[in-house]
């Protein structure tokens, strides 16, 4: 465990971690040896750890914090609701004002024709709900054999059994005998990593056509839905070529297959529009939401359902599915306040018109760095590809986990930037200012320089 602690409590907390805490997505032995960094407070776009170090949070918590840390209005909304009605369920013919107000508010900001919301406690539960609701929909229509859901390799849809199965993370499938039956995967539209000699536009068409091929393989009368993130987040901020979504839309319409957008990251302003589907002009039948819905202050997720799907399940009798915390009143009150702030302070408009163009311009300046093969981004999302050879896109792979080296330097220099393999990714809070963007890019360049020094030995 880390030995140069200034604060003796750091050591004590790390010992508690070692003795009692099983952390998500962690190598327990490594975590015990190194000890976790203990984050103790936050304000705006900054975190502080137990050693008093100030860190610029380039990942918005975990893609969550839209309105920034330390918003008193959200604290007030939660405590007011806790005093009035801290909990009641929404099962068995009951409801409460916050859940109804929130459903109405989400319908106002969602794309046209998406007016119904099923609430969950997380994004994973939203996708589990999607799987059951989509199969229920086709059963109600007299086509119960339309069950297969097509998803993408290296997509991320959560960590429950259905979420991890829908996701295309091989290392997740390996644990627990996943995916479950009825879920199949197609290649991702990741030109930089997998495009080979094709142009991005050619590759976008090729990747979209994989959907048609999979539909024909499974049989169109067996395929219920296609699920995808507008921009893959956890997979490495993968932005499809411009040719991709129009072709996907054509294919889905041709074979009468439901389109599910997993908006858990892209939703609530991350792309400079309310939803990633708005950014691309997609018209999904269902959308999974979480993260930015409450800015992460309390857990909440959900599934937005179009009128087209609702009208069918409305005639379908009981939908035998739900969670104790579906529409939790405190989470609903916080989500309502979060959306009020996003709207009244015109945060998404500001992202689109000012801060995202500035972030994207500043980030692209890093493309001249000897280690950087590509810089890409949309809105408040960005990715920096680390390569051995800028021209050929050759990786360091095997020789050196260069992404982890870079992440280590960021960690030590007051910046949270995540490594997905050799891709560095950022998704700062939507309220990040120009000055803070300057600081982010300056720190990122410093860390790239330090990484290059290590790589050269
Ligand atoms: C985080 C995430 C999920 C899972 O949400 P949880 O709240 O962690 O269950 C699902 N889809 C996408 C795109 C995500 O980024």
């Amino acid at each position: 465990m880390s030995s140069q602690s200034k604060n003796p409590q750091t050591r004590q907390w790390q010992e508690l971690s070692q003795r009692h805490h099983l952390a998500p997505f962690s190598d327990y032995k490594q975590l015990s040896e190194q000890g976790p960094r203990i984050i103790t407070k936050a304000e705006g776009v900054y975190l502080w750890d137990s050693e008093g170090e100030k860190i610029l949070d380039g990942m918005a918590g975990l893609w969550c914090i839209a309105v920034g840390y330390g918003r008193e209005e959200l604290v007030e909304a939660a405590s007011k609701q806790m005093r009035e009605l801290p909990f009641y369920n929404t099962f068995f013919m009951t409801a409460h004002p916050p859940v109804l107000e929130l459903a109405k508010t989400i319908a106002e900001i969602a794309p046209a024709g998406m007016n119904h919301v099923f609430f969950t406690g997380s994004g994973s539960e939203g996708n589990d709900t999607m799987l059951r609701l989509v199969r229920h929909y086709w059963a109600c229509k007299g086509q119960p054999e339309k069950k297969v859901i097509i998803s993408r390799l290296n997509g991320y849809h959560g960590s429950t059994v259905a979420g991890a199965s829908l996701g295309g993370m091989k290392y997740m499938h390996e644990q627990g005998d996943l995916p479950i039956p009825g879920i199949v995967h197609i290649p991702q539209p990741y030109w930089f990593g997998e495009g080979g000699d094709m142009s991005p536009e050619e590759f976008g068409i090729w990747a979209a056509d994989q959907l048609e091929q999979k539909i024909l393989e499974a049989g169109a009368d067996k395929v219920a839905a296609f699920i995808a993130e507008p921009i893959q987040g956890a997979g490495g901020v993968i932005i499809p070529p411009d040719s991709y979504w129009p072709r996907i839309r054509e294919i889905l319409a041709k074979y009468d297959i439901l389109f599910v957008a997993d908006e858990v990251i892209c939703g609530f302003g991350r792309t400079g529009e309310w939803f990633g589907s708005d950014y691309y002009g997609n018209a999904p039948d269902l959308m999974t939401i979480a993260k930015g819905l409450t800015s992460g202050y309390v857990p909440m997720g959900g599934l937005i359902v179009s009128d087209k799907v609702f009208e069918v399940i409305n005639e379908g009798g009981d939908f035998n599915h739900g969670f104790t915390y579906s529409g939790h009143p405190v989470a609903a009150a916080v989500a309502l306040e979060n959306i009020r702030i996003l709207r009244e302070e015109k945060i998404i408009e500001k992202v689109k018109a000012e801060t995202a163009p500035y972030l994207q311009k500043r980030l692209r300046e890093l493309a001249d760095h000897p280690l950087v093969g590509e810089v890409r981004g949309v809105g408040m999302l960005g990715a920096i590809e680390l390569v051995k050879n800028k021209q050929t896109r050759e990786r360091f792979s095997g020789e050196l986990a260069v992404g982890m080296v870079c992440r280590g330097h960021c960690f030590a220099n007051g910046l949270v930037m995540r490594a997905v393999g050799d891709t560095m990714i950022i998704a700062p809070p939507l309220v990040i200012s120009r000055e803070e963007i300057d600081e982010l890019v300056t720190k990122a360049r410093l860390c790239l320089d330090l990484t290059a020094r290590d790589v050269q030995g």
Side-chain angles (χ1 to χ4, degrees):
M1 263 186 239
S2 115
S3 50
Q4 329 90 316
S5 260
K6 286 182 252 164
N7 177 0
Q9 262 200 302
T10 300
R11 225 4 226 278
Q12 290 168 16
W13 280 318
Q14 289 175 333
E15 278 166 16
L16 291 182
S17 165
Q18 184 179 32
R19 276 195 241 127
H20 303 295
H21 184 220
L22 295 177
F25 287 98
S26 296
D27 174 332
Y28 294 123
K29 192 148 179 235
Q30 187 195 12
L31 186 62
S32 290
E33 280 162 14
Q34 294 177 3
R37 190 171 200 170
I38 311 295
I39 305 299
T40 49
K41 63 172 189 173
E43 182 65 39
V45 300
Y46 293 101
L47 305 164
W48 280 263
D49 71 9
S50 57
E51 298 292 285
E53 296 292 329
K54 185 178 175 185
I55 309 154
L56 175 55
D57 186 2
M59 282 305 297
L62 200 55
W63 323 89
C64 292
I65 301 288
V67 299
Y69 293 101
R71 292 295 306 234
E72 270 304 314
E73 302 94 318
L74 297 186
V75 180
E76 277 302 311
S79 60
K80 183 163 173 278
Q81 187 58 46
M82 280 192 188
R83 283 194 194 96
E84 224 161 81
L85 179 72
F87 176 69
Y88 197 71
N89 71 73
T90 51
F91 290 28
F92 318 133
M93 315 286 277
T94 60
H96 45 69
V99 74
L100 301 173
E101 287 293 326
L102 179 59
K104 171 194 139 244
T105 303
I106 291 172
E108 285 169 6
I109 60 180
M114 302 203 74
N115 291 307
H116 312 271
V117 191
F118 190 105
F119 289 104
T120 68
S122 68
S124 302
E125 290 173 9
N127 283 326
D128 276 59
T129 301
M130 181 283 291
L131 181 132
R132 299 195 56 200
L133 191 141
V134 153
R135 289 178 175 173
H136 176 55
Y137 165 85
W138 287 112
C140 289
K141 280 177 71 96
Q143 291 173 273
E145 68 290 351
K146 239 168 131 63
K147 264 193 244 186
V148 173
I149 301 186
I150 301 177
S151 167
R152 302 183 302 181
L153 293 169
N154 201 37
Y156 188 79
H157 300 297
S159 196
T160 51
V161 168
S165 294
L166 290 163
M169 304 296 186
K170 288 252 169 63
Y171 58 91
M172 290 175 77
H173 292 169
E174 279 163 12
Q175 294 173 337
D177 204 10
L178 304 177
I180 54 172
I183 296 173
V184 293
H185 297 83
I186 59 170
Q188 56 179 335
Y190 180 25
W191 176 79
F192 188 85
E194 300 173 4
D197 294 333
M198 282 186 257
S199 73
E201 296 319 298
E202 285 165 353
F203 178 70
I205 296 289
W206 177 87
D209 283 346
Q210 300 306 301
L211 174 61
E212 182 160 39
Q213 217 166 312
K214 193 56 95 180
I215 292 168
L216 296 173
E217 202 178 290
D221 55 345
K222 303 276 191 304
V223 179
F226 171 63
I227 181 170
E229 301 157 81
I231 292 169
Q232 284 156 261
V237 180
I238 291 160
I239 299 168
D242 291 342
S243 56
Y244 183 76
W245 287 119
R247 183 85 187 104
I248 291 281
R249 292 197 293 266
E250 273 172 37
I251 295 167
L252 292 173
K254 183 169 165 193
Y255 295 102
D256 193 20
I257 286 164
L258 293 175
F259 185 4
V260 185
D262 185 333
E263 293 271 3
V264 171
I265 285 176
C266 291
F268 299 92
R270 183 117 326 256
T271 63
E273 302 287 346
W274 275 100
F275 294 95
S277 297
D278 298 323
Y279 180 82
Y280 284 111
N282 290 344
D285 300 297
L286 303 115
M287 302 201 307
T288 319
I289 54 174
K291 293 185 175 134
L293 167 62
T294 57
S295 276
Y297 278 56
V298 289
M300 183 176 234
L303 182 70
I304 312 182
V305 175
S306 63
D307 298 344
K308 164 182 148 181
V309 171
F310 170 74
E311 277 154 22
V312 171
I313 60 169
N314 194 35
E315 302 295 320
D318 274 354
F319 181 41
N320 298 310
H321 173 75
F323 302 104
T324 302
Y325 299 131
S326 284
H328 192 288
V330 176
V334 171
L336 272 169
E337 188 62 11
N338 180 58
I339 295 169
R340 187 195 65 75
I341 292 172
L342 286 171
R343 279 173 147 177
E344 283 183 16
E345 296 182 7
K346 301 203 179 311
I347 289 171
I348 299 172
E349 288 88 335
K350 193 165 171 218
V351 164
K352 183 177 179 172
E354 295 172 37
T355 43
Y358 187 67
L359 172 74
Q360 296 302 334
K361 174 176 124 336
R362 294 287 342 257
L363 271 185
R364 276 169 184 71
E365 291 168 16
L366 299 172
D368 68 3
H369 194 277
L371 273 185
V372 174
E374 178 180 82
V375 180
R376 58 175 180 267
V378 161
M380 285 290 163
L381 288 165
I384 304 167
E385 296 280 5
L386 306 183
V387 291
K388 189 169 172 186
N389 183 320
K390 284 171 83 84
Q391 272 69 44
T392 61
R393 321 206 293 264
E394 186 194 346
R395 300 282 192 184
F396 286 96
S397 50
E399 299 163 46
L400 182 72
V402 69
M404 288 311 287
V405 172
C406 185
R407 180 181 176 272
H409 286 302
C410 294
F411 214 61
N413 285 282
L415 173 66
V416 177
M417 184 154 69
R418 187 164 150 190
V420 178
D422 293 348
T423 312
M424 305 308 297
I425 58 175
I426 58 148
L430 303 187
V431 294
I432 191 169
S433 68
R434 281 180 164 245
E435 294 71 35
E436 289 157 350
I437 289 170
D438 289 338
E439 182 188 338
L440 189 156
V441 175
T442 302
K443 285 189 166 156
R445 184 176 286 277
L446 167 71
C447 297
L448 288 170
D449 287 343
L450 294 170
T451 305
R453 210 178 56 190
D454 292 347
V455 166
Q456 283 147 14

PDB file of all heavy atoms in Angstrom, residues 220-231:
ATOM      1  N   ALA A 220     -35.227 -12.521 -40.438  1.00  0.00           N
ATOM      2  CA  ALA A 220     -35.850 -11.249 -40.054  1.00  0.00           C
ATOM      3  C   ALA A 220     -37.058 -11.473 -39.140  1.00  0.00           C
ATOM      4  O   ALA A 220     -37.355 -10.659 -38.273  1.00  0.00           O
ATOM      5  CB  ALA A 220     -36.264 -10.466 -41.293  1.00  0.00           C
ATOM      6  N   ASP A 221     -37.741 -12.598 -39.319  1.00  0.00           N
ATOM      7  CA  ASP A 221     -38.920 -12.880 -38.490  1.00  0.00           C
ATOM      8  C   ASP A 221     -38.542 -13.346 -37.082  1.00  0.00           C
ATOM      9  O   ASP A 221     -39.411 -13.619 -36.255  1.00  0.00           O
ATOM     10  CB  ASP A 221     -39.798 -13.932 -39.181  1.00  0.00           C
ATOM     11  CG  ASP A 221     -39.024 -15.199 -39.521  1.00  0.00           C
ATOM     12  OD1 ASP A 221     -37.769 -15.164 -39.495  1.00  0.00           O
ATOM     13  OD2 ASP A 221     -39.660 -16.220 -39.811  1.00  0.00           O
ATOM     14  N   LYS A 222     -37.237 -13.433 -36.804  1.00  0.00           N
ATOM     15  CA  LYS A 222     -36.773 -13.813 -35.465  1.00  0.00           C
ATOM     16  C   LYS A 222     -36.132 -12.644 -34.719  1.00  0.00           C
ATOM     17  O   LYS A 222     -35.829 -12.744 -33.536  1.00  0.00           O
ATOM     18  CB  LYS A 222     -35.720 -14.938 -35.559  1.00  0.00           C
ATOM     19  CG  LYS A 222     -36.176 -16.200 -36.271  1.00  0.00           C
ATOM     20  CD  LYS A 222     -36.906 -17.102 -35.315  1.00  0.00           C
ATOM     21  CE  LYS A 222     -37.166 -18.479 -35.880  1.00  0.00           C
ATOM     22  NZ  LYS A 222     -37.900 -18.459 -37.168  1.00  0.00           N
ATOM     23  N   VAL A 223     -35.873 -11.538 -35.423  1.00  0.00           N
ATOM     24  CA  VAL A 223     -35.118 -10.446 -34.803  1.00  0.00           C
ATOM     25  C   VAL A 223     -36.068  -9.390 -34.234  1.00  0.00           C
ATOM     26  O   VAL A 223     -36.906  -8.836 -34.944  1.00  0.00           O
ATOM     27  CB  VAL A 223     -34.129  -9.805 -35.798  1.00  0.00           C
ATOM     28  CG1 VAL A 223     -33.371  -8.658 -35.146  1.00  0.00           C
ATOM     29  CG2 VAL A 223     -33.147 -10.859 -36.321  1.00  0.00           C
ATOM     30  N   ALA A 224     -35.932  -9.132 -32.934  1.00  0.00           N
ATOM     31  CA  ALA A 224     -36.809  -8.191 -32.242  1.00  0.00           C
ATOM     32  C   ALA A 224     -36.291  -6.764 -32.316  1.00  0.00           C
ATOM     33  O   ALA A 224     -37.055  -5.831 -32.552  1.00  0.00           O
ATOM     34  CB  ALA A 224     -36.937  -8.604 -30.775  1.00  0.00           C
ATOM     35  N   ALA A 225     -34.983  -6.595 -32.082  1.00  0.00           N
ATOM     36  CA  ALA A 225     -34.458  -5.238 -31.923  1.00  0.00           C
ATOM     37  C   ALA A 225     -32.960  -5.185 -32.168  1.00  0.00           C
ATOM     38  O   ALA A 225     -32.267  -6.201 -32.094  1.00  0.00           O
ATOM     39  CB  ALA A 225     -34.748  -4.727 -30.506  1.00  0.00           C
ATOM     40  N   PHE A 226     -32.497  -3.978 -32.456  1.00  0.00           N
ATOM     41  CA  PHE A 226     -31.072  -3.663 -32.540  1.00  0.00           C
ATOM     42  C   PHE A 226     -30.803  -2.617 -31.476  1.00  0.00           C
ATOM     43  O   PHE A 226     -31.531  -1.623 -31.383  1.00  0.00           O
ATOM     44  CB  PHE A 226     -30.737  -3.122 -33.925  1.00  0.00           C
ATOM     45  CG  PHE A 226     -29.348  -2.553 -34.071  1.00  0.00           C
ATOM     46  CD1 PHE A 226     -28.225  -3.359 -33.912  1.00  0.00           C
ATOM     47  CD2 PHE A 226     -29.158  -1.212 -34.396  1.00  0.00           C
ATOM     48  CE1 PHE A 226     -26.934  -2.836 -34.061  1.00  0.00           C
ATOM     49  CE2 PHE A 226     -27.879  -0.686 -34.554  1.00  0.00           C
ATOM     50  CZ  PHE A 226     -26.765  -1.496 -34.383  1.00  0.00           C
ATOM     51  N   ILE A 227     -29.775  -2.836 -30.646  1.00  0.00           N
ATOM     52  CA  ILE A 227     -29.420  -1.836 -29.625  1.00  0.00           C
ATOM     53  C   ILE A 227     -28.027  -1.297 -29.887  1.00  0.00           C
ATOM     54  O   ILE A 227     -27.103  -2.056 -30.213  1.00  0.00           O
ATOM     55  CB  ILE A 227     -29.511  -2.394 -28.189  1.00  0.00           C
ATOM     56  CG1 ILE A 227     -29.156  -1.294 -27.175  1.00  0.00           C
ATOM     57  CG2 ILE A 227     -28.636  -3.642 -27.996  1.00  0.00           C
ATOM     58  CD1 ILE A 227     -29.431  -1.632 -25.723  1.00  0.00           C
ATOM     59  N   ALA A 228     -27.868   0.016 -29.738  1.00  0.00           N
ATOM     60  CA  ALA A 228     -26.556   0.639 -29.925  1.00  0.00           C
ATOM     61  C   ALA A 228     -26.486   1.961 -29.178  1.00  0.00           C
ATOM     62  O   ALA A 228     -27.496   2.645 -29.026  1.00  0.00           O
ATOM     63  CB  ALA A 228     -26.301   0.877 -31.411  1.00  0.00           C
ATOM     64  N   GLU A 229     -25.290   2.301 -28.748  1.00  0.00           N
ATOM     65  CA  GLU A 229     -25.030   3.648 -28.227  1.00  0.00           C
ATOM     66  C   GLU A 229     -24.813   4.564 -29.438  1.00  0.00           C
ATOM     67  O   GLU A 229     -24.090   4.188 -30.364  1.00  0.00           O
ATOM     68  CB  GLU A 229     -23.744   3.655 -27.387  1.00  0.00           C
ATOM     69  CG  GLU A 229     -23.734   2.719 -26.201  1.00  0.00           C
ATOM     70  CD  GLU A 229     -22.300   2.365 -25.779  1.00  0.00           C
ATOM     71  OE1 GLU A 229     -21.681   3.163 -25.076  1.00  0.00           O
ATOM     72  OE2 GLU A 229     -21.805   1.296 -26.186  1.00  0.00           O
ATOM     73  N   PRO A 230     -25.389   5.765 -29.443  1.00  0.00           N
ATOM     74  CA  PRO A 230     -25.134   6.692 -30.558  1.00  0.00           C
ATOM     75  C   PRO A 230     -23.629   6.891 -30.777  1.00  0.00           C
ATOM     76  O   PRO A 230     -23.146   6.860 -31.909  1.00  0.00           O
ATOM     77  CB  PRO A 230     -25.814   7.982 -30.109  1.00  0.00           C
ATOM     78  CG  PRO A 230     -26.924   7.524 -29.204  1.00  0.00           C
ATOM     79  CD  PRO A 230     -26.365   6.317 -28.479  1.00  0.00           C
ATOM     80  N   ILE A 231     -22.907   7.110 -29.661  1.00  0.00           N
ATOM     81  CA  ILE A 231     -21.440   7.095 -29.662  1.00  0.00           C
ATOM     82  C   ILE A 231     -21.051   6.124 -28.563  1.00  0.00           C
ATOM     83  O   ILE A 231     -21.533   6.258 -27.430  1.00  0.00           O
ATOM     84  CB  ILE A 231     -20.871   8.499 -29.356  1.00  0.00           C
ATOM     85  CG1 ILE A 231     -21.175   9.455 -30.521  1.00  0.00           C
ATOM     86  CG2 ILE A 231     -19.364   8.434 -29.082  1.00  0.00           C
ATOM     87  CD1 ILE A 231     -20.904  10.909 -30.207  1.00  0.00           C
TER      88      ILE A 231
END
